[in-house]
Amino acid sequence: MTDTILPNGVKDQAGQNGYFKKGCNPLALTGRSKLQNQRADINQQIIRQMRMRAGAENLLKATSNNKVREMVVLELSYVNANLQLLMEQLEGLNSSVDVYQNPQEASSIPLIPLGLKETKDVDFTVPFKDFILEHYSEDGSSYNDEIADLMDLRQACRTPSRSEAGIELLAKYFSHLPLVENRFLSPTRQLGIFFTWYDSFTGVPVCQQNISLEKASILFNMGALFTQIGTRSNRQTLNGLEDAVSAFQKAAGVLNHLKETFTHTPSYDLSPGMLNVLIKMMLAQAQEVLFEKIALTGIRNEFFSLLKMAQEAAKVGENYDQVHQSMSQTPVKDNVPFFWSTMAQVKTNHYRSLAHYFVATALLDHQLNTHDDEEKQEKGLSQVYAAMPDDLSALDILRKKENRRHIGKAHLRRAVMCHEEALRIHSLCRHLKKLDVLREILHASHKRSLAKLTDNEQEEEFADYLEAPDIVAKTDHKAEMEMPVSTKVKVTDFFHRLGPLSVFSAKQRWTAPRTVRLSLEDRDLGFNLKGEAPVQITSLDPLCPAAVDGLKEGDYIITVGETDCKWMGVGDVMRLLKDVDEEGMDIRVVSLMDSSQPMATKSATFCGGLSKTYSMICLAIDDQDKSPMGSQTLSVSHTGRKVSKKGSFLSWGLKNRLKSSSTLSLPTADYSGTLPWNKHCPTFPSTSTYNDPALY
């Protein structure tokens, strides 16, 4: 079964035809997919039980009949018991780490992956088609294929393959979400699209119209997939260990980005406290794999090599201790799987015991000889301890055999105690008992330390109560968060036919598209074009036929004849306009509505909706030329050549009308009369003046 196929008969990069998207394998019958199916089934059962509980609680509040109340209380007890059982089953799924491990490994401690969040299907068809018709004034049915591709991509993200292709699939959908948000999700209007995601720890559904929940959940699944890739890596090879380290560091980077970007997500598994725990756990597991990488070729029985490995092991133990402390904090501890917290405790004690065992071996098996570098050994041993044991100096310990044996045995006793504590904690969790590999590793390490301690015991020796000091954690290979490059995938907007996103977005508002007839007058169309796609009308001659037919300064041209020109630049549109002849040509334009633009503070008169009324601000503002009479109006000629002609004051004021809230209309008569600002100004218009039926 392949998972490199694209939907709707579209070919992928390999040229294969098929049904599933690349990076998606919904029919793979693996242990991981079975766990996800069980998780989805449990989530549905939790929803049913929560609805029953909500109904029973409402009935309990509404009724005063004692008999009915007794029945409702009894029913509530059953529902709560069922919810508790379902929560335990969900915790069991989060504790099923064995199915994620590499089957070729038989001597590595299991690592903890994250399960994917489950979601419900979302149908974008009707809301998007309605929005396209209403907001963009286009036929929504013509975008059926684009909407279907978006829904197929989202559906594929529910079953990503455990590979880089699966990561790329999630990253592709994540990159599409900002485009969808800008196209369709207006801050002032809801489309009725609800995104539902289930908490991966509690199974409680979270439903929101805000697309931030969708983005955060996809990022969480991306980090979870990285953890599953790292867990699946073969840690018996160098390449497998490097892949595992990289995967866990990338998982930590994605989760940290999620924590910093989405701070108010209502889902528990996306809360800052829980994400902080997950980040620490991923870094601790990355540090553990780095330790395994150092020990892959074997640990040499040399003084400095043993001290180095002791500090590396202490670093792993310290990281897991921090993880356990984070898991013990409120409110995280109430929903963290018991398996996770016990595993963190087991690994804390296991790696601490290894650290003490390595130091004990360095002191007991190696004596300071004449040819050894005494100063170097003193420096190395002093760096192992934060405080020297029994008030002895490092040289006193190295030079005297009795002191070495005395302190070495103390470390062995500490190692045995840590091993026994790890075994005790291991026995408390039924899910940990199922991990045979972990149990065998703990027993083998315990026997080794116990045998070493027995070999160094002497019958005539009195009881020794010296306690070995803690070992300073230190590493030369610290695990760091790594933000994967694959989270930023360049994608093509599904709805690019709607036009450039900088203009044609859900946040912008326009007039309805209107048709304007262009005709030549002295080989001149009477306006100029400016800007990137889509082009805008500028320097409009108010006396030209196009202006009389309704063309306005600042209008965006969306079609020329039958040609869509939303993505065309000035040069392309001008080539189309060269075809205008004496019969003329139709273009379709829209006007941008900027309701947030404030009124100019220097306006002499506010003249909204009134003809023949102008503002003195026309004489005050010009970016290109401070002298109003010196400005020039450029026009598009039939030959494509720019013709400059003297611009009248009226055309100059119209050119700058977007800069003045008072210059809103042109005179409808008497173009050659006296100056317009000398005329009588009518009274301020009523609010009905602004009710333009052509505006959305």
Side-chain angles (χ1 to χ4, degrees):
M1 185 66 193
T2 180
D3 61 356
T4 60
I5 310 174
L6 295 173
N8 301 330
V10 182
K11 292 184 179 181
D12 64 356
Q13 294 179 355
Q16 298 176 346
N17 284 329
Y19 188 73
F20 300 122
K21 280 189 175 290
K22 182 179 180 181
C24 168
N25 196 354
L27 300 182
L29 297 178
T30 62
R32 183 178 70 105
S33 63
K34 292 178 181 178
L35 282 182
Q36 286 300 127
N37 292 335
Q38 294 177 25
R39 185 187 297 273
D41 182 62
I42 291 176
N43 288 335
Q44 294 298 325
Q45 295 183 51
I46 289 176
I47 283 184
R48 288 194 292 269
Q49 295 297 325
M50 292 187 67
R51 287 174 178 171
M52 292 178 61
R53 185 172 69 176
E57 290 175 346
N58 291 335
L59 180 58
L60 190 64
K61 295 177 182 178
T63 184
S64 58
N65 189 308
N66 292 333
K67 188 173 182 179
V68 174
R69 292 178 66 87
E70 290 176 2
M71 294 176 62
V72 172
V73 170
L74 181 62
E75 185 65 27
L76 271 175
S77 65
Y78 287 134
V79 172
N80 289 330
N82 290 336
L83 277 174
Q84 185 64 32
L85 291 175
L86 290 173
M87 295 292 186
E88 291 179 1
Q89 293 180 29
L90 191 60
E91 181 179 349
L93 293 182
N94 290 324
S95 304
S96 301
V97 299
D98 50 334
V99 299
Y100 295 95
Q101 311 300 316
N102 191 300
Q104 300 177 358
E105 292 190 24
S107 59
S108 298
I109 299 179
L111 300 173
I112 299 176
L114 299 179
L116 300 179
K117 288 173 66 69
E118 288 291 330
T119 183
K120 294 177 65 176
D121 292 336
V122 177
D123 191 353
F124 297 114
T125 307
V126 175
F128 279 12
K129 289 168 67 174
D130 290 346
F131 191 81
I132 289 173
L133 177 61
E134 179 181 346
H135 190 74
Y136 295 99
S137 301
E138 295 192 28
D139 183 12
S141 300
S142 63
Y143 289 87
N144 282 333
D145 291 341
E146 287 83 351
I147 298 174
D149 287 340
L150 177 63
M151 293 174 61
D152 287 343
L153 179 59
R154 187 182 189 276
Q155 182 67 22
C157 289
R158 299 180 65 178
T159 54
S161 59
R162 187 165 42 173
S163 61
E164 288 296 329
I167 295 292
E168 185 177 352
L169 177 68
L170 293 175
K172 183 179 180 181
Y173 179 62
F174 182 77
S175 299
H176 273 290
L177 289 178
L179 301 177
V180 172
E181 181 180 15
N182 290 329
R183 289 287 189 193
F184 298 101
L185 303 182
S186 171
T188 59
R189 174 186 170 186
Q190 298 294 340
L191 293 184
I193 298 175
F194 291 89
F195 301 99
T196 302
W197 288 85
Y198 297 91
D199 194 295
S200 59
F201 297 105
T202 64
V204 176
V206 176
C207 183
Q208 274 193 348
Q209 295 191 68
N210 194 336
I211 201 172
S212 296
L213 176 63
E214 184 90 346
K215 295 178 182 178
S217 299
I218 291 296
L219 271 182
F220 182 91
N221 279 358
M222 199 180 301
L225 200 57
F226 271 121
T227 66
Q228 295 179 13
I229 293 173
T231 307
R232 189 70 173 178
S233 302
N234 185 2
R235 287 148 59 200
Q236 301 301 316
T237 63
L238 181 61
N239 290 335
L241 287 168
E242 291 177 349
D243 292 342
V245 171
S246 177
F248 283 116
Q249 291 183 148
K250 289 177 180 178
V254 171
L255 295 174
N256 184 67
H257 176 66
L258 172 58
K259 184 185 72 170
E260 293 180 349
T261 307
F262 303 95
T263 56
H264 300 290
T265 310
S267 184
Y268 169 77
D269 53 0
L270 302 178
S271 63
M274 190 66 215
L275 290 175
N276 186 52
V277 170
L278 297 180
I279 293 169
K280 289 183 178 180
M281 186 170 70
M282 296 308 120
L283 291 178
Q285 294 188 140
Q287 193 67 51
E288 180 181 4
V289 178
L290 284 171
F291 176 81
E292 294 176 350
K293 179 182 176 182
I294 299 173
L296 180 64
T297 56
I299 302 173
R300 293 179 298 173
N301 192 4
E302 297 178 357
F303 183 79
F304 294 107
S305 178
L306 290 170
L307 292 184
K308 178 182 177 182
M309 291 304 298
Q311 290 189 295
E312 292 283 353
K315 181 62 177 179
V316 179
E318 180 184 72
N319 286 1
Y320 274 113
D321 184 49
Q322 294 175 358
V323 172
H324 178 256
Q325 291 179 11
S326 299
M327 291 180 177
S328 303
Q329 301 296 322
T330 305
V332 176
K333 66 177 182 180
D334 297 329
N335 292 302
V336 168
F338 181 64
F339 171 85
W340 289 14
S341 59
T342 51
M343 175 68 90
Q345 283 183 286
V346 167
K347 290 190 176 184
T348 298
N349 287 281
H350 173 69
Y351 283 101
R352 281 177 178 174
S353 64
L354 290 182
H356 286 288
Y357 176 82
F358 289 140
V359 173
T361 304
L363 292 176
L364 294 174
D365 293 358
H366 300 277
Q367 304 296 327
L368 185 62
N369 299 319
T370 55
H371 60 274
D372 292 333
D373 190 341
E374 182 178 280
E375 183 177 353
K376 186 177 179 180
Q377 287 197 9
E378 178 190 9
K379 182 179 179 181
L381 185 61
S382 61
Q383 291 178 348
V384 171
Y385 301 114
M388 297 303 295
D390 208 14
D391 295 331
L392 296 174
S393 65
L395 277 179
D396 291 337
I397 298 174
L398 292 172
R399 289 173 178 174
K400 296 182 180 180
K401 181 179 179 180
E402 187 63 27
N403 288 340
R404 297 174 74 110
R405 191 173 69 86
H406 185 60
I407 298 173
K409 286 174 58 181
H411 281 291
L412 284 176
R413 285 192 297 270
R414 184 85 179 268
V416 171
M417 291 173 59
C418 290
H419 282 308
E420 291 174 348
E421 180 66 14
L423 288 170
R424 184 189 69 82
I425 297 172
H426 173 268
S427 64
L428 298 177
C429 181
R430 59 187 178 91
H431 296 292
L432 280 178
K433 292 180 181 179
K434 298 177 182 178
L435 301 178
D436 297 333
V437 175
L438 178 59
R439 183 178 63 254
E440 292 173 0
I441 292 175
L442 294 179
H443 279 293
S445 300
H446 178 247
K447 289 180 180 179
R448 182 180 59 187
S449 298
L450 197 59
K452 187 81 171 178
L453 179 62
T454 304
D455 293 341
N456 286 273
E457 290 285 0
Q458 296 181 3
E459 295 183 0
E460 69 278 5
E461 194 172 41
F462 291 102
D464 193 349
Y465 295 104
L466 176 65
E467 182 177 356
D470 293 332
I471 297 172
V472 175
K474 182 182 177 182
T475 180
D476 296 332
H477 310 279
K478 185 179 179 181
E480 301 283 356
M481 288 183 292
E482 178 182 345
M483 191 61 189
V485 181
S486 56
T487 56
K488 299 179 180 179
V489 178
K490 188 176 182 180
V491 296
T492 302
D493 186 7
F494 283 133
F495 304 94
H496 69 281
R497 286 196 291 127
L498 291 173
L501 192 58
S502 59
V503 177
F504 297 99
S505 66
K507 296 179 180 179
Q508 305 282 10
R509 295 175 62 241
W510 316 271
T511 61
R514 59 188 188 278
T515 302
V516 176
R517 188 72 176 178
L518 299 184
S519 58
L520 292 176
E521 185 179 88
D522 297 333
R523 304 180 62 83
D524 181 20
L525 293 176
F527 59 85
N528 196 11
L529 304 178
K530 71 173 183 179
E532 303 294 333
V535 298
Q536 277 185 286
I537 301 295
T538 184
S539 302
L540 177 66
D541 183 358
L543 307 181
C544 70
V548 175
D549 198 25
L551 189 64
K552 300 179 181 179
E553 181 88 6
D555 281 353
Y556 290 94
I557 301 179
I558 57 176
T559 59
V560 175
E562 299 298 328
T563 305
D564 189 301
C565 57
K566 294 175 184 173
W567 286 96
M568 292 185 181
V570 173
D572 295 330
V573 176
M574 289 182 68
R575 279 190 288 271
L576 294 176
L577 294 177
K578 287 181 180 179
D579 297 333
V580 179
D581 51 19
E582 287 74 9
E583 297 181 359
M585 176 185 291
D586 289 336
I587 65 171
R588 298 179 74 229
V589 296
V590 295
S591 299
L592 186 64
M593 298 170 58
D594 188 5
S595 58
S596 63
Q597 183 175 0
M599 185 179 67
T601 56
K602 294 184 180 181
S603 175
T605 309
F606 184 80
C607 316
L610 295 180
S611 59
K612 304 183 182 179
T613 307
Y614 291 82
S615 168
M616 293 297 291
I617 197 171
C618 297
L619 297 175
I621 303 178
D622 187 358
D623 289 340
Q624 299 178 357
D625 195 334
K626 296 301 181 182
S627 173
M629 300 306 295
S631 65
Q632 300 292 325
T633 303
L634 300 179
S635 62
V636 178
S637 67
H638 179 63
T639 60
R641 179 174 55 88
K642 292 185 177 179
V643 180
S644 63
K645 53 185 179 180
K646 291 276 185 174
S648 66
F649 170 74
L650 297 182
S651 65
W652 184 90
L654 179 64
K655 176 182 177 182
N656 293 276
R657 71 189 181 111
L658 292 180
K659 300 174 184 177
S660 171
S661 60
S662 61
T663 309
L664 297 178
S665 58
L666 285 173
T668 57
D670 193 13
Y671 295 107
S672 59
T674 59
L675 291 178
W677 57 78
N678 293 329
K679 296 183 179 182
H680 173 68
C681 181
T683 57
F684 193 85
S686 64
T687 55
S688 60
T689 308
Y690 303 102
N691 295 332
D692 187 352
L695 304 184
Y696 278 82

